[in-house]
Amino acid sequence: MSLRNYDDMSDQDVVEAIHRAKAELGASLTILGHHYQRDEVIQFADYRGDSLELSRRAATTKAKYIVFCGVYFMAETAAILCGPDQIVIQPVIEALCPMARLATAAEVSEAWEALSNMWGGDLLPITYQNSIAELKAFVGQRDGAVCTSSNAAALFAWGFKQKGHLLFTPDEHLGTNTALAMGIADREIGVWDRLGSPDPAALRDCRVVVWKGYCYVHTGFEPQHVDAIRAQYPDAMIIVHPECPREVVAKSDATGSTSGIIKMVEQAPAGQTIVIGTECNLVYRLAHEHPDKRILPLYERTCRSMSMTRMRNLLYVLDSILMGQPVNVVTVEPETARWARVALDRMLQAS
Ligand code: 13P
Ligand code: SF4
């Protein structure tokens, strides 16, 4: 396959070449873009969204080629949800979410066995979508479901209709924030630390056990950042993503998924100061799109994985499709995909 020398192209040439490739591929192509993608990439997305919205798009689009600008677990989820004749492509296949790699199915299995035995089988697993396909499959095989940051409370409520205890992986913070927001008491929320010789008996009185995993972008926000911003802008509305630590959430005015944050910004009155605790590609885009409001990052945090995709990477994969030899195709082993899909379908039905 002979490809162009992308580094020698000007930005304008790249933009024009992507538009031409999109026009040529027409309805056979859908480009999905997560809100954390760079402006230079997101401008080409046919659909932008949070994890849940992009999963729904992947499950319903008829396009033969789904080019997913995001991180690997998102493209992998799209590959599980789309049809057998569709092809999912990730422009930078090395763009991995580090949090998704903090829980393997084998590690979770140890926690599951210990807790399930202690509670006589009265335990349901729920995994955040930011997880590897093998863990989603593990959860699907044990009657559990996937959730995202926009439907975690709905999935927890669904889970409690099935069983008395939940094991939530891999984000300690989303799990804890969701449980607290549902009114679950502090003493009923426990943490499973795979690196710290966890003692199941110490968790006997818990209703929710959360895996000790985290997002390094969102755990970079600290309570003192909120205090400092409040002192500087006393009338500001502070919105944070629920992957932030509970102490940060407690000091903020609202939490939301990336799309939830966007909706709150759109609904805020002109002149409002809004401080946002999430990845800064999204925060700066919102500031640019809403010049009538003052929009500031709580603290500047970048997701390095999300920022890996550049428009030249997008052009490269579009060229490969046009040449009939798509590169960076994301596939999932069929048995893993089958069970992961069970867990994802439960989410899509319950939310
Ligand atoms: P959203 O589902 O809110 O878009 O979150 C995805 C994510 O990776 C946040 O860090
Ligand atoms: Fe993963 Fe955090 Fe990046 Fe989201 S922001 S993709 S959770 S590392």
Side-chain angles (χ1 to χ4, degrees):
M1 184 164 64
S2 120
L3 294 166
R4 337 164 189 241
N5 191 342
Y6 297 92
D7 290 337
D8 288 349
M9 293 175 76
S10 71
D11 285 357
Q12 191 51 34
D13 285 348
V14 175
V15 167
E16 284 166 15
I18 293 175
H19 282 305
R20 274 198 304 276
K22 283 189 71 174
E24 207 169 319
L25 288 163
S28 71
L29 170 73
T30 286
I31 300 179
L32 303 181
H34 186 265
H35 292 305
Y36 291 161
Q37 290 289 292
R38 292 171 183 268
D39 287 348
E40 68 172 64
V41 172
I42 204 81
Q43 64 175 320
F44 298 109
D46 297 304
Y47 300 103
R48 303 176 185 192
D50 65 10
S51 293
L52 179 63
E53 291 165 337
L54 294 177
S55 299
R56 288 196 193 283
R57 287 287 176 194
T60 51
T61 179
K62 298 277 177 280
K64 180 170 172 59
Y65 301 102
I66 302 170
V67 172
F68 207 123
C69 301
V71 288
Y72 193 76
F73 76 81
M74 295 179 176
E76 198 175 48
T77 300
I80 293 164
L81 289 171
C82 71
D85 298 332
Q86 291 173 298
I87 295 172
V88 176
I89 293 165
Q90 192 183 352
V92 177
I93 206 139
E94 301 84 5
L96 305 170
C97 166
M99 172 158 67
R101 311 192 76 78
L102 293 178
T104 66
E107 288 167 336
V108 175
S109 175
E110 271 183 42
W112 167 263
E113 291 296 330
L115 294 170
S116 194
N117 286 341
M118 180 173 73
W119 286 319
D122 188 21
L123 176 66
L124 193 85
I126 296 189
T127 191
Y128 192 20
Q129 186 151 310
N130 301 32
S131 58
I132 57 172
E134 289 76 12
L135 180 52
K136 292 185 179 79
F138 175 92
V139 166
Q141 281 171 319
R142 285 156 187 81
D143 302 327
V146 174
C147 75
T148 73
S149 60
S150 65
N151 60 18
L155 268 296
F156 273 37
W158 170 87
F160 278 127
K161 285 192 193 132
Q162 333 290 318
K163 299 280 172 114
H165 306 89
L166 303 181
L167 172 61
F168 181 75
T169 51
D171 187 9
E172 172 185 349
H173 305 287
L174 176 64
T176 304
N177 290 325
T178 304
L180 288 171
M182 291 175 79
I184 294 173
D186 220 351
R187 65 175 188 290
E188 294 178 317
I189 304 168
V191 179
W192 186 277
D193 178 2
R194 77 199 201 289
L195 302 175
S197 314
D199 174 14
L203 301 168
R204 183 175 294 279
D205 296 332
C206 293
R207 291 171 65 205
V208 177
V209 174
V210 295
W211 194 258
K212 197 170 176 57
Y214 63 95
C215 160
Y216 75 94
V217 178
H218 289 92
T219 48
F221 297 111
E222 298 172 12
Q224 56 266 33
H225 296 147
V226 184
D227 294 340
I229 281 284
R230 282 240 189 265
Q232 202 176 349
Y233 304 101
D235 296 330
M237 178 185 186
I238 302 179
I239 313 173
V240 299
H241 195 277
E243 288 175 12
C244 291
R246 59 187 286 183
E247 297 79 7
V248 172
V249 170
K251 284 180 176 264
S252 302
D253 299 306
T255 60
S257 75
T258 52
S259 289
I261 292 170
I262 293 169
K263 276 193 204 98
M264 286 184 252
V265 168
E266 286 167 353
Q267 286 163 5
Q272 172 80 56
T273 298
I274 307 166
V275 177
I276 303 177
T278 198
E279 209 277 343
C280 63
N281 275 319
L282 172 58
V283 181
Y284 290 133
R285 183 175 311 126
L286 283 169
H288 182 73
E289 289 172 352
H290 297 270
D292 60 326
K293 299 164 197 176
R294 186 201 276 144
I295 297 174
L296 307 163
L298 176 57
Y299 190 73
E300 194 169 300
R301 302 290 300 162
T302 307
C303 175
R304 287 191 288 275
S305 308
M306 284 285 185
S307 288
M308 283 167 78
T309 306
R310 311 297 301 246
M311 62 183 174
R312 282 167 176 73
N313 304 111
L314 177 58
L315 178 58
Y316 168 60
V317 296
L318 297 183
D319 279 349
S320 77
I321 297 172
L322 285 168
M323 289 174 159
Q325 288 174 272
V327 294
N328 294 3
V329 174
V330 176
T331 55
V332 181
E333 188 274 318
E335 190 62 6
T336 305
R338 183 164 83 87
W339 283 108
R341 176 150 197 155
V342 169
L344 283 160
D345 281 344
R346 287 193 188 113
M347 167 181 83
L348 295 173
Q349 279 154 22
S351 62

